[in-house]
Amino acid sequence: MKLFSSKKKEEDTPKTKSRGLFSRLTRTREGLFGGILSLFKSGKLDEEVLEQIEDQLLVADLGVSVSQKIVERLKEAAASGGTSTPDEARSILRDLMIDLLAPCEKPEITFFPDRPAVVLMVGVNGVGKTTTLAKLAARYKDSGKSVMLAACDTFRAAAIDQLQTWGDRLDIPVIAQSHGADAAAVAYDAYSAAAARNCDILLVDTAGRQHTHGDLVEQLKKVKRVISKANPSVPDEVWLTVDAGNGQNVLSQVAHFDEAVKLTGLCVTKLDGTAKGGIVFALADRFGLPVRFIGVGEGQSDLRPFNAEEFVDALLPELGQSD
Ligand SMILES: Nc1nc2c(ncn2[C@@H]2O[C@H](COP(=O)(O)OP(=O)(O)OP(=O)(O)O)[C@@H](O)[C@H]2O)c(=O)[nH]1
Ligand SMILES: [Mg+2]
């Protein structure tokens, strides 16, 4: 077992400091909600306009069920005279969107005085698991927690180095073995090391795997099983990272991973680079799992705790801004 730790901490430069969520969600906002608000402005919400709104919602990956709910609600409001101005229509849409997402707001996790909390990060290849884990490590460290990382992606040759580079940058210890080692054994050792050092939190990186690949999913189950031999209460959290750009595909990823390892939360990444941010609504509607954090860039500070109101306000421009 290797225990890496480095002394040097890179200062946060102004470039890596967080910018407003509004500026990060431009593509989804412009691709979707700008168009809807223009439709609101065009006048009455008649059948034709509502159909166009539904089409826009579907294209933006909100999914059939959410799109229908929104259109039904707008239809009801229109029938009772509640959408006679574009502002009223926007406000109804905003409230409904917040109501859909609010049950998924739960960024906090439980810490324990006598043992590390354990978060197992899972997901398909390349969605941003390792980067998200590193951003989380930075966040917990900044809030005064002692953090340890476990390099349980022993599958991809460069994965251990990638996590180690983050560990060096953040001055956070990384527990790793060599490429090809048994990921479950690394997880077990990492928990023992984190417990021995009285760490507050152990963040476990795992290899990307297709949710449809039986053997790889079995290996992941083994990681979960073996770490629980070190302490039957862990892992406390199993979070699936999904790339928002994958659109509707993320729904089957969630279903498969949940069945295999019982998810306790989602991290939705790459919302900065996609017009498919509407998938967060489809996820909320279909699974109701907490959306813990959202990724809005590659930098260390580009991770936000998910907040329904903030998210909706970043997607839905004020009417004066939608032109
Ligand atoms: N724009 C953007 N890029 C991101 C975000 N999160 C991760 N990335 C980038 O996505 C790429 C893949 O990220 P990784 O963290 O290596 O993904 P992974 O899921 O660990 O990949 P595997 O371990 O190979 O399965 C990297 O270039 C990251 O910088 C995000 O929120 N926004
Ligand atoms: Mg990775």
Side-chain angles (χ1 to χ4, degrees), residues 25 34 60 70 114 169 189 193 199 213 253 259:
L25 300 185
I70 290 178
D114 55 343
R169 195 181 297 170
D189 282 353
C199 284
H213 194 306
Q253 292 170 19
E259 196 190 328

Side-chain angles (χ1 to χ4, degrees), residues 165-191:
T165 302
W166 276 108
D168 288 349
R169 195 181 297 170
L170 301 170
D171 195 16
I172 286 175
V174 178
I175 300 294
Q177 292 179 17
S178 46
H179 172 223
D182 178 8
V186 181
Y188 185 94
D189 282 353
Y191 180 81

Side-chain angles (χ1 to χ4, degrees), residues 18-281:
S18 54
R19 283 192 272 138
L21 193 56
F22 193 84
S23 68
R24 300 303 178 97
L25 300 185
T26 309
R27 291 195 61 190
T28 298
R29 184 174 58 252
E30 289 179 353
L32 167 65
F33 292 102
I36 290 181
L37 293 186
S38 303
L39 289 168
F40 285 172
K41 280 197 213 172
S42 71
K44 270 182 36 185
L45 290 188
D46 56 22
E47 280 292 330
E48 196 190 326
V49 171
L50 285 166
E51 234 169 68
Q52 287 176 35
I53 290 176
E54 188 168 354
D55 288 349
Q56 291 237 15
L57 294 166
L58 284 170
V59 169
D61 279 286
L62 279 86
V64 177
S65 153
V66 176
S67 304
Q68 281 175 352
K69 272 184 201 165
I70 290 178
V71 168
E72 278 309 310
R73 178 76 190 88
L74 287 171
K75 205 183 272 182
E76 279 165 29
S80 59
T83 57
S84 41
T85 68
D87 270 322
E88 282 171 350
R90 178 189 178 279
S91 159
I92 285 165
L93 179 61
R94 177 179 181 274
D95 289 349
L96 182 60
M97 287 164 70
I98 293 172
D99 284 352
L100 282 165
L101 297 183
C104 298
E105 226 179 72
K106 189 179 180 285
E108 308 82 20
I109 61 164
T110 306
F111 290 97
F112 305 92
D114 55 343
R115 68 163 177 90
V118 178
V119 179
L120 184 66
M121 187 65 90
V122 304
V124 306
N125 312 75
V127 289
K129 292 176 296 299
T130 306
T131 309
T132 303
L133 208 73
K135 291 171 177 174
L136 284 168
R139 209 182 155 80
Y140 288 125
K141 186 177 180 195
D142 282 351
S143 71
K145 302 292 181 199
S146 54
V147 185
M148 193 175 266
L149 292 165
C152 294
D153 180 356
T154 54
F155 192 70
R156 192 167 58 85
I160 297 169
D161 286 346
Q162 185 190 1
L163 199 67
Q164 183 52 48
T165 302
W166 276 108
D168 288 349
R169 195 181 297 170
L170 301 170
D171 195 16
I172 286 175
V174 178
I175 300 294
Q177 292 179 17
S178 46
H179 172 223
D182 178 8
V186 181
Y188 185 94
D189 282 353
Y191 180 81
S192 307
R197 285 183 161 208
N198 296 319
C199 284
D200 295 312
I201 181 162
L202 174 69
L203 300 168
V204 182
D205 191 28
T206 65
R209 65 199 80 219
Q210 287 306 311
H211 49 298
T212 46
H213 194 306
D215 283 355
L216 294 179
V217 172
E218 282 307 315
Q219 283 175 20
L220 187 60
K221 287 185 181 170
K222 184 178 162 198
V223 171
K224 192 180 173 200
R225 211 167 49 237
V226 169
I227 200 171
S228 75
K229 291 199 170 128
N231 183 325
S233 306
V234 305
D236 303 282
E237 304 285 346
V238 182
W239 292 357
L240 178 74
T241 300
V242 291
D243 174 347
N246 287 338
Q248 295 293 307
N249 281 339
V250 308
L251 299 175
S252 64
Q253 292 170 19
V254 176
H256 278 90
F257 276 98
D258 191 36
E259 196 190 328
V261 285
K262 189 87 189 93
L263 302 175
T264 63
L266 305 174
C267 295
V268 183
T269 60
K270 311 195 191 185
L271 280 160
D272 52 307
T274 180
K276 293 178 175 288
I279 193 65
V280 177
F281 294 89

